[in-house]
Amino acid sequence: MPITMVQDGVFGDTGKGKLAHVLSAPEYCDVAVRAVGGGNAGHVIVEDTRKVALHVLPAGCLYEETKTLLGRGMVTHIPTLFSDAAAIQKEFGVDPLKNLHIANGNHILFDAHKKADAILEKRKGKEAVGTTGSGIGPAYADKALRMGMRFEELMVRNGASKEVVMDRIKVRFRKLLQHWFDLYGIEYSSTEEDQQLQDLLQAQEILEGKIVNTHEFWERQEAANEMDVMIEGAQGTELSVDEDYPYVTASPTSVLGHLQGSGLPLRELKKVIMTAKAYTTRVGGGPFPTRMDEPLRSIIQKKGGEMGSTTGRLRDTGWLHAKRLGKRGHQESADEFAILKGDIFDDLGPVKLAIADNQSGQPVYEEHEGWSGTNGVRVFSDLHLNSRKYHARIQEITGIPVRYIGTGRDKKDLIIVPN
Ligand code: IMP
């Protein structure tokens, strides 16, 4: 039962989608899992001329033969699930719902959660977190309050008639409307309420047969000896709820959080591939000590396409902090690194790498000679010597092997570093 996990070592947006796309191909993977978070994620996948940005569906959905699971640690906005599915169908001509499974414990994220997210951010004023506005915090709050509605409630169980299930959903939804009014003052007109309920009932029709009991799902997989599992990480280690609080997301985005969210046993985790970019980006609030100076900051932002695929916000840009990445790597039991987007530094001059912090907590840098012509290189020996030296230095400082180097947007622009 070899479980592989792709874990972002920084603040998200490091190119997990690309690696997950490669690793969830049916020759390597029986089940591809998204385990935590929701539509706050934005995994962009590019293959030849085709491109898709996924928010709740894992990259495994691009292969009809790979089973996919939206784990019980997620909060899932159903219209986003459907729009991800439509985008895949349009670009890649496959039906991502065909082999999709949704854990019974996965929580439904409603439009009201998005409204509540905006209300809370406004109430916080200057202390706003800078969320993606996807309703993540309020959906997890309902989960913690034991008020949340899980996908399980859309299942037809114990021979109940469809009418009974539909009536049950209606009663639950009306209770939730009252709850959101009490907490946040959210009000809907009766037409809006009816529309939302209709959408929910329609979703029930489409998704009901895809909802599975988490434990039984894994037991069946094990019995069939189909347990090559790839967990596609969401957000990043630094955004985990227990890290730089409150400038974090609302779920545990650590490796352990993902295992909990998938329902898989820790003992079976065989490999953690930690992703980072050759530089760092951050969106939302919170400190960012390795922030670059202008004009390089804006140049990287533009050349690297550093704009949120969920929010359209520009990402702030800084140098990579190798020491900190190493600490996160060890904390998360990373076996190897995938360092992506080093090609963005092509022709931009010297590259700085933070290797420590001084006594006042400010990063200490070393400077590396720049490189050129690395975009699209697919063989390690063809990579510019300075780029090879830079990646070797990351390996030296972190003590964790750099196994993959990304050199472009296409999934094939990925070098496997020889041992
Ligand atoms: P939330 O997850 O929308 O509540 O946002 C909380 C913080 O996490 C904000 O700083 C967001 O910008 C950040 N965040 C959440 N998801 C992602 C992601 O997928 N990539 C990068 N930042 C994210």
Side-chain angles (χ1 to χ4, degrees):
M1 189 208 260
I3 304 172
T4 302
M5 153 112 223
V6 178
Q7 169 74 7
D8 184 307
V10 208
F11 300 101
D13 311 316
T14 52
K16 291 182 293 293
K18 172 174 168 158
L19 211 62
H21 186 196
V22 173
L23 297 174
S24 50
E27 56 264 41
Y28 313 117
C29 177
D30 296 312
V31 190
V33 185
R34 258 291 306 265
V36 300
N40 47 351
H43 295 177
V44 178
I45 293 154
V46 182
E47 186 171 10
D48 303 321
T49 52
R50 300 173 296 185
K51 177 180 164 193
V52 73
L54 302 179
H55 301 92
V56 296
L57 291 182
C61 280
L62 288 146
Y63 308 97
E64 277 185 358
E65 312 88 272
T66 303
K67 275 189 189 160
T68 52
L69 175 74
L70 302 183
R72 61 182 181 176
M74 285 186 76
V75 285
T76 306
H77 184 237
I78 295 173
T80 306
L81 187 164
F82 289 147
S83 64
D84 273 8
I88 293 178
Q89 180 93 53
K90 182 164 170 260
E91 275 299 297
F92 288 82
V94 295
D95 176 10
L97 298 186
K98 191 173 146 200
N99 232 334
L100 178 75
H101 303 76
I102 305 174
N104 54 345
N106 192 322
H107 278 248
I108 300 174
L109 187 148
F110 291 93
D111 284 329
H113 290 126
K114 296 188 182 204
K115 281 193 180 216
D117 199 347
I119 291 167
L120 289 173
E121 283 286 89
K122 202 163 168 215
R123 279 187 199 164
K124 286 178 185 170
K126 276 200 203 124
E127 274 121 46
V129 175
T131 70
T132 60
S134 322
I136 304 298
Y140 280 110
D142 276 352
K143 175 175 177 172
L145 291 169
R146 272 58 51 80
M147 284 298 291
M149 185 165 176
R150 307 189 333 156
F151 275 84
E152 181 169 50
E153 296 188 46
L154 304 186
M155 281 170 112
V156 178
R157 280 171 301 165
N158 305 326
S161 71
K162 197 96 185 170
E163 289 69 38
V164 168
V165 176
M166 294 300 190
D167 284 345
R168 203 177 61 206
I169 293 172
K170 284 180 198 168
V171 171
R172 267 292 269 140
F173 185 64
R174 301 223 183 277
K175 244 189 208 167
L176 281 170
L177 289 173
Q178 183 63 47
H179 165 66
W180 296 322
F181 175 74
D182 293 342
L183 239 65
Y184 311 109
I186 294 171
E187 274 184 288
Y188 288 107
S189 68
S190 57
T191 325
E192 286 170 327
E193 267 183 43
D194 285 348
Q195 186 56 54
Q196 290 194 40
L197 194 52
Q198 280 319 311
D199 290 348
L200 189 58
L201 297 177
Q202 212 176 3
Q204 193 280 338
E205 304 263 354
I206 302 171
L207 299 176
E208 194 258 319
K210 302 183 184 304
I211 304 166
V212 292
N213 174 295
T214 303
H215 298 298
E216 289 171 8
F217 174 81
W218 290 123
E219 278 160 20
R220 275 197 302 275
Q221 285 303 118
E222 206 166 2
N225 202 19
E226 290 178 356
M227 281 302 287
D228 284 332
V229 178
M230 211 279 305
I231 306 179
E232 175 177 327
Q235 287 74 52
T237 307
E238 299 279 8
L239 290 174
S240 198
V241 64
D242 295 313
E243 293 298 340
D244 197 10
Y245 195 89
Y247 299 107
V248 288
T249 190
S251 64
T253 59
S254 58
V255 169
L256 282 178
H258 279 89
L259 278 169
Q260 181 181 337
S262 63
L264 284 161
L266 169 62
R267 151 175 19 94
E268 303 299 342
L269 180 65
K270 288 291 175 290
K271 190 186 273 185
V272 175
I273 305 172
M274 181 168 267
T275 58
K277 285 186 282 214
Y279 53 93
T280 306
T281 55
R282 176 161 204 180
V283 272
F288 193 25
T290 65
R291 181 181 284 114
M292 286 170 179
D293 292 331
E294 289 294 3
L296 192 61
R297 197 162 134 236
S298 299
I299 292 170
I300 299 272
Q301 219 167 36
K302 201 161 170 214
K303 199 170 163 195
E306 296 300 347
M307 184 189 272
S309 41
T310 302
T311 57
R313 290 184 294 185
L314 278 178
R315 298 178 187 138
D316 206 353
T317 309
W319 303 105
L320 179 64
H321 201 310
K323 189 77 186 172
R324 189 163 173 132
L325 181 66
K327 281 189 186 171
R328 293 297 182 233
H330 289 287
Q331 171 194 320
E332 296 290 290
S333 311
D335 297 290
E336 47 195 38
F337 280 126
I339 306 291
L340 305 161
K341 292 182 103 165
D343 58 298
I344 301 300
F345 281 128
D346 277 355
D347 307 312
L348 292 181
V351 177
K352 292 210 276 184
L353 185 66
I355 54 164
D357 285 322
N358 65 19
Q359 281 185 336
S360 32
Q362 287 310 303
V364 176
Y365 294 101
E366 64 180 25
E367 200 166 281
H368 288 251
E369 276 182 60
W371 51 83
S372 57
T374 69
N375 181 256
V377 171
R378 293 180 180 177
V379 178
F380 185 66
S381 53
D382 291 344
L383 199 62
H384 194 291
L385 183 64
N386 292 344
S387 167
R388 277 191 267 160
K389 280 186 185 165
Y390 178 76
H391 289 91
R393 185 71 175 130
I394 295 172
Q395 174 163 311
E396 190 175 46
I397 293 167
T398 58
I400 296 170
V402 173
R403 185 88 177 107
Y404 301 92
I405 297 177
T407 54
R409 302 197 78 186
D410 196 284
K411 79 163 184 180
K412 295 183 210 85
D413 296 331
L414 192 67
I415 294 173
I416 301 180
V417 181
N419 284 320

